[in-house]
Amino acid sequence: MVSTRAVASEQIYSRQALREGIVAMSKIPEVLPRSIPIPEFVIEACSYVWYHFIAVMRWLPGGRYIIEYVRKSHQDDPYRTIVEILLIIYGIIYYFSKPQQKKSLQRSKPNLTPKEIDALIEEWVPEPIVDTMVLEEQRWRLAKIPVIQHSGINNRVNLTRNNGAESFSNVLNLCSNNFLQLSSTPEVLEEARKIIKNYGVGACGPAGFYGNQDVHFNLEYELADFFGTEAAVLYGQDFCVAPSAIPAFTKRGDLIVADNHVSLSVQNALQLSRSTVYYFDHNDMESLENLLIDITESEKAEHLPATPRKFIVTEGLFHNSGDIANLPKLTALKLKYKFRLVVDETFSIGVLGSTGRGIAEHFNMERSKSIDMTVGSLATALGSSGAFVLGDKVMAHHQRIGSNAYCFSASLPPYAIKAADKVLEIMNNDNSTVQLLQKLSKQVHQMFSEPTFSKAMILTSSPFSPVIHLQLTPELRTKKFNYSKEGLFETNSDLQKKCNSVKFIEPYEKEEIFLQNIVDDLLQNDSILITRNTIVLKNETLPIAPSLKICINSGLDEREIESACDIIKTKIFEHCYSDSHN
Amino acid sequence: MSSTPATNIRVPMIPPDDLPRSVKQENEYGRLESEEHLYQVKPMKRSNQMEKPIVDTPPYYISLITYLNYLILIILGHIHDFLGMKFQKDKHADVFEHDGLAPWYSKFESFFARRMKKRIDDCFSRPATGVPGRFIRCIDRISHDLNNYFTYPGTTSMCLNLSSYNYLGFAQSEGQCTDAAIKCVEEYGLHCGGPRTQIGSSNLHIQAEQLIARFVGKDEAMLFSMGYGTNANFFNAFLDSKCLIISDELNHTSIRTGVRSSGAAVRAFKHNDMDELEKLIREQIVLGQPKTNRPWKKILIVVEGLYSMEGTLCNLPKLVELKKKYKCYLFVDEAHSIGAMGPTGRGVCELFDINPKEVDFLMGTLTKSFGAAGGYIAADKWIMDRLRMDITTASYAESVPPPVLGQVISSLMTITGELNPGEGKERLQRIAFNSRYLRLGLQRLGFIVYGCPDSPVIPMLLYCPSKMPAFSRMMLQRKIAVVIVAYPATPLIESRVRFCMSSALTKEDLDYLLRHVSEVGDKLCLKLSSGKAGVPQDGIPPRWDVEDVIARTGEDCKDDRFFRV
């Protein structure tokens, strides 16, 4: 048997040897252990395959070198061949096996029979679609929403509450965000009527598809000219702008440094930005600078391939406290540490600065040189609806491609655009309204910052802010409700982290009711309408405290407002020091 | 060109055309030529609903050419980038770092916009003026330097409008809706006051909300001043990371944004694939949350009623069945279907003859059918009570301004017949006829058209990216305004033109359109239909003569036999 095997291989290899003149492989059979009987046809087939394999390898360009290499390496280190073959086999198995990710998902899939699956599905009880556990405890919020009856948002209004159960007439309105009241002037109304007669109401399309009309383009030019920037981009609603415009420019790895008291709109933006977010203490420039130094240093140590985009995000007039960001210092810092500055000016456009050009003018700075991206609203001081972003041309152009709320939403109604345009024109010609507003704001500010009053409630707003935010002093809050702003933040973050469906913080609710009682008292007994700063606590991710809001507008009479503020002060004082809540 | 004054770079304000009133009316809303051109939509038969739609595919060479087209564009773009960034640094300053600041966007991120979209920028954002009704008055512009900038000679052209979301033709400058809006300006002013929970509610808001709730068949509704914002700030009011959202892969960006900001887990299913959806729901109920394997707190299925890029309807009967079977919740975004679909315009629920109470949330916009702006959410009372406190838009954002409410209330009352009885019904019958007529006409001419018969959105496939600008420009030359859409709004090779139907159009307008589309289609080789998605099913690709189409489709389009549902 052994001899025949040798003969067979000899025959095959002799043919090859004859053709190429090389005596090769003749010793192969000797490698095989002679003691194990191997069927003839296996040997023959193997030799045949081996012969053709070698022949093909020789025929391939460069094949010779491979054979040469394998042979040499096998000669030097036979074990290496085994390891390499195993590696190749492993590679092939790895290649044909399922991707790792799928594997891990399947791993977690329990091996269940269809019956068990059906039982599990049967068993699953979802929570109700919205949580109603504390609905009754919080329902008072719905009943306290004022509904204005048959008039615009004037300074004297008739209103009902709680589905018409309560009604009040000729109430002094200290809630409106229409600070300048310019859009209620006859010339602006006339312009709006004219546009409705020529354009209809809706724009009937997104900006990319014939929705932007000549009025839209022209308001963008006007806004850019008015605020001294290269370009402006219009949006449909103020609350949606920051969460759309900021994420259009940020991706993973970018850096955002934000004030830790920014409004919910900016918080949403930061959440959607995908970037690394750091917070600095509210309006504390030292804290900001320390943070920037840290970031710059760690960046130097990391040796990144490209500079990430870096932003400082803050607000002009803070939504929750009414104070003003320190723009000169912010600008200096952003220039020093190479950051871009984003300022949400929803409340400060038309309010700050001698002609209402916002926070940049307030500090006598040029907007284009200090703020890289401004988010502004047409629905506050400008008295129309919608919002806009100001900045350089490159940024504006990219927003028109990459900002979701711009690309995927219908353009603003033309009449709103034209009204805003007209208001800008009035502001451009005459700044007396803005001046009047600031004068009134300062006056009211003075009244509420008296030391005796400050023992009950603190005024957090700046003297220039037409929104007066009044918060209970920490001492009084602890005394009355036995909790603190920091404690509230902690409890709230804790609830958010745990994803509890019921988010009910009792002392906070009590304080809200206490503030609402003040509002109710003023409305019922003195015909003055102020409001709580309504917030949705479960969505707030930053420290916040409940506050009362009094909004001043330039259409108010100086004496009227003075007497109203006196009454408000007295009422607040009474409530704070009455014992009914202790 | 250097001598053009700088002001020409800006879009000019166009003074309104001084036309006689009757001509103006005709331009905004064409008079009905004949009672023949009306069609009353019937609720869909249950037996038809479960059939899977057949999607026509183009011949292989078209797909190949399309990919080649993209390949050439990408290669040219990269060569352009390479040379431009070596030799013309000043022209590409936007993608370079300067003063230590990273660019606003990187070279890679902006490649698509700079090198591909920019080539066809002249087909987008065309400025218009006046009422976007039956005709739209486009402001002429001249493109320079490969759409680097435009100049405006100050002239306009009246184009047949197949681009605006003006389904029921309420974009008008006179009539009861405009009167109502103007009355609101006089009575209520322009400003909304502030957020809804502070001062932004008026009796108009309450009235409009009640009307909408009644119209869609829910207890209560809530209005918002922006359609996108309605969705974008809705889901975080009641979902968190322990909840699951199962979403159709083609859902609108506003839904995706809203879902993302809610933090809930998301699983997508293939567009309208109910089997995959069921499998996914079963799997997710069994698996529960990743890592912890605890059961999900709640599962919300999110779909759109009518998909704006496909013209397809959601399979509502099946969705309701699945939702009940597996105790999930259902959200239907009716942005495009409310007002425009169903026998009396009440959207997909009515079209499928399903009680709206079976759907947990009905969302819709006021921009499209009602000619206003904003959005709404409607649900049961106990749900809305909770949401009124929890939806952030209500407490932080501006509320709907009065003139828009005037338009919403009056147009809604017109649809229901409370105002000008008969007018609403006619508008609905006109859009139904128009949609069916154009769809069948295009199919008979040999174009590939997606969607269901009654859909007012009619997407017609172009495939090659280079045919998009060609089609759009040729249509503009023929005074027809159309919208072209491409990747990323559609799959890469399925670039399309989207005709948005309107009641304001007449059959004569559609005949004009068909003649021109047919001619352009021949030139651009767009008649690619194999006939397998249409009727009859004889295997012969339909290539009708345009005059035959016009003569016979008017009658045929009213018959369901000619459509595959």
Side-chain angles (χ1 to χ4, degrees):
Chain A
M1 195 175 139
V2 171
S3 62
T4 43
R5 194 198 299 173
V7 169
S9 60
E10 201 76 344
Q11 270 179 351
I12 289 164
Y13 287 110
S14 63
R15 243 188 284 158
Q16 185 203 353
L18 278 174
R19 199 188 306 150
E20 302 217 347
I22 305 162
V23 183
M25 313 282 168
S26 55
K27 56 181 182 289
I28 283 259
E30 281 161 35
V31 178
L32 296 166
R34 284 162 193 273
S35 53
I36 307 167
I38 298 172
E40 201 66 17
F41 67 93
V42 173
I43 300 292
E44 219 160 304
C46 284
S47 320
Y48 193 73
V49 167
W50 183 250
Y51 163 70
H52 281 282
F53 174 71
I54 293 292
V56 167
M57 283 302 283
R58 275 174 201 282
W59 173 77
L60 279 176
R64 240 172 239 281
Y65 299 103
I66 293 171
I67 293 172
E68 219 38 35
Y69 167 77
V70 172
R71 195 173 285 166
K72 224 173 178 182
S73 79
H74 183 72
Q75 237 165 24
D76 294 345
D77 183 4
Y79 293 106
R80 186 174 154 178
T81 319
I82 298 168
V83 172
E84 278 178 1
I85 287 172
L86 284 177
L87 260 178
I88 288 170
I89 291 170
Y90 177 72
I92 291 168
I93 291 171
Y94 182 83
Y95 182 78
F96 283 106
S97 69
K98 285 194 173 144
Q100 287 297 301
Q101 228 182 353
K102 262 191 186 168
K103 253 188 189 166
S104 70
L105 262 181
Q106 272 179 340
R107 184 179 49 82
S108 65
K109 199 184 224 170
N111 212 354
L112 296 172
T113 61
K115 241 186 197 168
E116 284 170 319
I117 290 176
D118 282 337
L120 272 176
I121 288 169
E122 193 63 34
E123 212 178 87
W124 180 59
V125 184
E127 285 186 8
I129 189 155
V130 290
D131 167 65
T132 47
M133 297 275 278
V134 288
L135 181 61
E136 293 313 314
E137 284 90 329
Q138 293 183 328
R139 195 182 280 280
W140 62 270
R141 283 192 167 83
L142 293 177
K144 302 297 183 188
I145 297 173
V147 179
I148 310 297
Q149 296 296 324
H150 304 286
S151 77
I153 313 295
N154 304 329
N155 287 333
R156 290 277 174 185
V157 290
N158 301 332
L159 60 94
T160 61
R161 294 199 308 187
N162 199 6
N163 282 333
E166 299 171 275
S167 76
F168 307 91
S169 57
N170 202 24
V171 171
L172 179 68
N173 172 11
L174 294 179
C175 284
S176 166
N177 281 347
N178 191 357
F179 306 123
L180 294 176
Q181 299 276 335
L182 285 174
S183 68
S184 3
T185 49
E187 49 204 299
V188 178
L189 292 178
E190 180 53 36
E191 200 70 35
R193 271 197 295 267
K194 247 196 321 203
I195 289 287
I196 293 178
K197 277 182 191 154
N198 285 319
Y199 288 75
V201 175
C204 290
F209 301 151
Y210 304 86
N212 265 6
Q213 298 175 308
D214 49 355
V215 281
H216 296 81
F217 283 97
N218 279 283
L219 180 62
E220 289 184 348
Y221 304 146
E222 290 296 326
L223 283 168
D225 290 348
F226 186 80
F227 292 104
T229 56
E230 284 179 14
V233 183
L234 286 171
Y235 283 81
Q237 186 189 62
D238 48 12
F239 190 58
C240 282
V241 183
S244 175
I246 295 175
F249 296 100
T250 55
K251 61 169 199 295
R252 257 188 200 92
D254 291 340
L255 285 172
I256 297 179
V257 179
D259 190 288
N260 71 353
H261 274 54
V262 288
S263 72
L264 187 66
S265 159
V266 180
Q267 292 171 34
N268 285 344
L270 301 181
Q271 192 205 335
L272 291 172
S273 70
R274 303 185 191 91
S275 310
T276 318
V277 183
Y278 300 95
Y279 292 100
F280 61 93
D281 294 341
H282 178 51
N283 263 350
D284 182 349
M285 291 302 119
E286 217 167 284
S287 149
L288 172 62
E289 181 152 21
N290 289 337
L291 196 55
L292 296 183
I293 292 171
D294 281 355
I295 289 171
T296 317
E297 269 172 14
S298 69
E299 200 178 284
K300 264 184 203 154
E302 273 177 45
H303 297 293
L304 295 165
T307 331
R309 280 164 288 209
K310 292 176 280 187
F311 299 91
I312 299 172
V313 181
T314 186
E315 277 182 87
L317 249 178
F318 281 85
H319 177 272
N320 292 329
S321 50
D323 44 355
I324 299 177
N326 184 349
L327 188 65
K329 187 75 190 160
L330 280 166
T331 311
L333 286 177
K334 77 136 195 166
L335 289 174
K336 188 172 171 197
Y337 295 98
K338 308 293 179 199
F339 274 64
R340 285 197 170 92
L341 182 59
V342 180
V343 183
D344 183 341
E345 287 215 60
T346 301
F347 282 91
S348 52
I349 289 287
V351 167
L352 295 183
S354 61
T355 61
R357 282 174 164 81
I359 189 169
E361 193 189 33
H362 179 79
F363 288 107
N364 288 321
M365 298 171 77
E366 257 181 79
R367 183 172 291 273
S368 58
K369 286 191 183 141
S370 50
I371 304 173
D372 295 281
M373 185 200 268
T374 313
V375 173
S377 170
L378 296 173
T380 50
L382 300 183
S384 180
S385 47
F388 57 89
V389 171
L390 300 168
D392 64 42
K393 261 192 228 157
V394 175
M395 182 200 74
H397 182 71
H398 188 68
Q399 265 183 66
R400 292 178 207 278
I401 302 162
S403 178
N404 290 341
Y406 181 83
C407 299
F408 297 98
S409 148
S411 295
L412 279 166
Y415 84 83
I417 295 294
K418 196 63 196 176
D421 200 15
K422 195 76 191 168
V423 170
L424 277 187
E425 193 189 309
I426 297 172
M427 283 170 73
N428 207 10
N429 295 336
D430 171 18
N431 69 347
S432 59
T433 334
V434 179
Q435 295 288 342
L436 183 63
L437 179 67
Q438 288 172 359
K439 194 180 143 213
L440 288 175
S441 305
K442 275 182 208 156
Q443 189 188 332
V444 174
H445 184 271
Q446 220 162 26
M447 293 184 71
F448 283 105
S449 51
E450 273 173 26
T452 40
F453 182 76
S454 318
K455 277 181 196 145
M457 275 192 148
I458 340 164
L459 168 67
T460 54
S461 300
S462 127
F464 290 92
S465 166
V467 187
I468 312 289
H469 283 271
L470 298 170
Q471 294 179 358
L472 274 185
T473 53
E475 298 81 46
L476 213 57
R477 185 175 293 131
T478 321
K479 195 180 141 209
K480 272 182 163 318
F481 307 106
N482 198 21
Y483 83 115
S484 65
K485 188 177 169 186
E486 293 73 30
L488 175 67
F489 174 58
E490 238 167 69
T491 322
N492 194 32
S493 314
D494 205 36
L495 285 177
Q496 283 167 353
K497 233 179 264 162
K498 285 185 187 154
C499 293
N500 280 11
S501 300
V502 183
K503 295 195 175 74
F504 189 78
I505 303 169
E506 212 187 329
Y508 162 77
E509 293 290 325
K510 275 191 181 157
E511 187 179 342
E512 286 266 281
I513 293 173
F514 167 75
L515 293 179
Q516 186 61 44
N517 283 339
I518 300 176
V519 173
D520 287 355
D521 190 358
L522 282 164
L523 181 61
Q524 280 153 3
N525 301 323
D526 308 291
S527 285
I528 296 170
L529 180 68
I530 63 168
T531 177
R532 283 177 302 119
N533 183 25
T534 54
I535 55 172
V536 181
L537 187 69
K538 73 188 189 71
N539 288 27
E540 291 279 355
T541 53
L542 293 175
I544 191 166
S547 64
L548 280 178
K549 231 173 103 173
I550 304 166
C551 299
I552 311 300
N553 72 62
S554 54
L556 288 164
D557 182 62
E558 210 173 307
R559 244 172 282 153
E560 200 173 32
I561 204 167
E562 210 180 304
S563 60
C565 286
D566 271 332
I567 297 171
I568 295 171
K569 265 169 69 180
T570 338
K571 277 280 151 72
I572 290 177
F573 226 81
E574 273 173 28
H575 277 263
C576 285
Y577 289 105
S578 73
D579 288 325
S580 60
H581 288 279
N582 284 0
Chain B
M1 274 303 138
S2 56
S3 62
T4 16
T7 48
N8 263 8
I9 304 173
R10 292 188 159 191
V11 180
M13 277 300 288
I14 304 291
D17 243 345
D18 203 14
L19 293 171
R21 191 162 162 258
S22 60
V23 179
K24 208 174 140 193
Q25 274 177 336
E26 257 315 270
N27 282 349
E28 289 167 11
Y29 193 81
R31 201 178 299 116
L32 187 66
E33 294 154 2
S34 143
E35 293 287 321
E36 296 279 287
H37 304 157
L38 294 174
Y39 174 76
Q40 177 58 47
V41 175
K42 296 176 273 293
M44 277 181 157
K45 281 186 233 104
R46 295 255 166 178
S47 56
N48 288 344
Q49 287 160 13
M50 300 306 162
E51 250 179 73
K52 268 200 175 175
I54 295 174
V55 175
D56 206 349
T57 44
Y60 282 110
Y61 72 91
I62 291 291
S63 311
L64 193 73
I65 288 173
T66 308
Y67 280 119
L68 263 178
N69 226 312
Y70 274 110
L71 192 71
I72 293 168
L73 274 170
I74 290 169
I75 291 171
L76 278 180
H78 279 295
I79 294 173
H80 205 149
D81 258 7
F82 176 77
L83 294 175
M85 281 168 202
K86 271 254 149 38
F87 302 110
Q88 288 182 309
K89 283 211 165 130
D90 51 324
K91 272 198 176 176
H92 297 87
D94 51 340
V95 291
F96 289 113
E97 208 179 297
H98 64 97
D99 308 334
L101 288 173
W104 282 106
Y105 44 81
S106 73
K107 191 180 133 188
F108 174 74
E109 283 169 293
S110 60
F111 180 80
F112 183 79
R114 281 182 300 119
R115 292 295 175 220
M116 296 166 83
K117 187 183 167 281
K118 192 160 193 191
R119 285 169 173 267
I120 56 170
D121 256 359
D122 61 316
C123 302
F124 298 108
S125 300
R126 289 196 183 117
T129 181
V131 177
R134 177 188 177 197
F135 290 97
I136 186 163
R137 201 167 161 214
C138 291
I139 300 172
D140 298 333
R141 61 179 182 185
I142 302 159
S143 161
H144 298 271
D145 202 6
L146 255 177
N147 297 332
N148 203 8
Y149 66 98
F150 298 99
T151 52
Y152 302 86
T155 55
T156 58
S157 26
M158 283 299 250
C159 296
L160 191 65
N161 187 3
L162 283 135
S163 58
S164 293
Y165 299 133
N166 178 29
Y167 295 137
L168 293 181
F170 281 114
Q172 279 173 297
S173 66
E174 52 183 69
Q176 71 277 17
C177 297
T178 316
D179 294 345
I182 288 177
K183 196 161 159 264
C184 282
V185 173
E186 275 154 15
E187 221 177 292
Y188 294 86
L190 302 173
H191 194 248
C192 59
R196 278 301 293 277
T197 50
Q198 292 176 12
I199 181 94
S201 306
S202 72
N203 58 317
L204 273 182
H205 290 87
I206 308 294
Q207 190 193 351
E209 284 178 351
Q210 282 167 353
L211 272 173
I212 286 174
R214 213 174 63 208
F215 184 68
V216 300
K218 281 276 175 195
D219 295 343
E220 278 194 36
M222 197 172 168
L223 282 177
F224 304 93
S225 70
M226 185 191 192
Y228 172 92
T230 310
N231 276 338
N233 294 307
F234 171 64
F235 297 97
N236 58 9
F238 63 102
L239 296 177
D240 54 46
S241 57
K242 289 184 179 171
C243 303
L244 175 73
I245 291 177
I246 298 186
S247 160
D248 191 291
E249 59 174 357
L250 294 181
N251 277 344
H252 191 251
T253 312
S254 57
I255 296 179
R256 294 181 198 195
T257 311
V259 165
R260 261 189 66 201
S261 67
S262 76
V266 196
R267 303 280 181 276
F269 64 94
K270 210 164 154 268
H271 176 52
N272 265 353
D273 189 338
M274 292 298 121
D275 299 334
E276 198 191 318
L277 171 65
E278 182 164 9
K279 234 175 84 189
L280 193 62
I281 297 174
R282 291 179 69 93
E283 188 188 287
Q284 287 301 328
I285 294 177
V286 174
L287 285 183
Q289 300 171 36
K291 286 186 192 164
T292 60
N293 280 42
R294 298 283 172 84
W296 295 107
K297 284 208 296 199
K298 31 192 153 171
I299 298 181
L300 179 71
I301 306 171
V302 179
V303 293
E304 285 186 44
L306 177 70
Y307 289 84
S308 65
M309 291 296 163
E310 311 292 311
T312 49
L313 290 169
C314 64
N315 189 345
L316 197 61
K318 185 76 188 167
L319 282 164
V320 169
E321 187 196 312
L322 288 178
K323 164 212 145 144
K324 277 191 193 155
K325 188 169 165 194
Y326 296 109
K327 293 169 275 188
C328 302
Y329 303 112
L330 181 60
F331 172 96
V332 180
D333 176 344
E334 292 214 76
H336 287 266
S337 52
I338 193 70
M341 300 208 72
T344 60
R346 286 171 165 80
V348 281
C349 288
E350 194 189 20
L351 189 68
F352 284 111
D353 198 13
I354 278 180
N355 187 349
K357 298 262 182 281
E358 312 263 17
V359 182
D360 298 283
F361 296 111
L362 286 168
M363 179 268 168
T365 61
L366 308 169
T367 317
K368 278 128 194 169
S369 299
F370 306 107
Y376 68 83
I377 282 181
D380 295 344
K381 187 174 186 315
W382 65 278
I383 299 177
M384 286 318 286
D385 279 351
R386 185 71 246 175
L387 290 181
R388 274 177 208 278
M389 290 186 253
D390 288 349
I391 291 182
T392 48
T393 311
S395 293
Y396 295 83
E398 55 179 295
S399 78
V400 191
V404 171
L405 289 170
Q407 171 86 12
V408 171
I409 292 169
S410 55
S411 57
L412 204 56
M413 283 168 77
T414 309
I415 297 172
T416 55
E418 287 159 80
L419 213 63
N420 282 10
E423 188 190 323
K425 197 175 163 200
E426 189 193 297
R427 282 176 191 257
L428 278 161
Q429 292 184 343
R430 281 183 70 172
I431 189 170
F433 173 83
N434 286 353
S435 307
R436 292 173 81 95
Y437 179 72
L438 183 63
R439 178 175 295 276
L440 189 60
L442 290 172
Q443 278 172 356
R444 287 181 162 175
L445 285 172
F447 294 103
I448 297 182
V449 181
Y450 284 173
C452 74
D454 290 325
S455 149
V457 178
I458 305 173
M460 188 181 103
L461 277 291
L462 302 174
Y463 298 104
C464 292
S466 51
K467 286 179 186 171
M468 286 193 297
F471 189 85
S472 175
R473 287 167 195 157
M474 283 164 104
M475 280 290 144
L476 194 67
Q477 279 169 6
R478 289 162 168 78
K479 304 268 179 253
I480 300 169
V482 295
V483 165
I484 49 169
V485 269
Y487 182 80
T490 69
L492 187 67
I493 68 157
E494 292 180 10
S495 307
R496 61 196 67 174
V497 52
R498 189 178 62 172
F499 298 112
C500 286
M501 205 26 73
S502 166
S503 306
L505 299 169
T506 62
K507 181 171 178 291
E508 206 181 313
D509 298 334
L510 297 178
D511 294 344
Y512 175 83
L513 174 73
L514 279 174
R515 287 197 178 94
H516 285 290
V517 171
S518 173
E519 189 192 326
V520 171
D522 282 331
K523 281 188 182 158
L524 296 180
C525 181
L526 294 174
K527 295 181 178 174
L528 300 166
S529 151
S530 65
K532 72 175 179 187
V535 175
Q537 291 272 303
D538 49 9
I540 304 164
R543 295 290 185 271
W544 289 37
D545 181 67
V546 69
E547 295 308 322
D548 283 349
V549 172
I550 289 166
R552 287 176 51 193
T553 308
E555 215 29 65
D556 288 355
C557 75
K558 295 182 193 171
D559 197 332
D560 274 338
R561 279 185 300 132
F562 293 97
F563 291 97
R564 287 183 62 90
V565 181

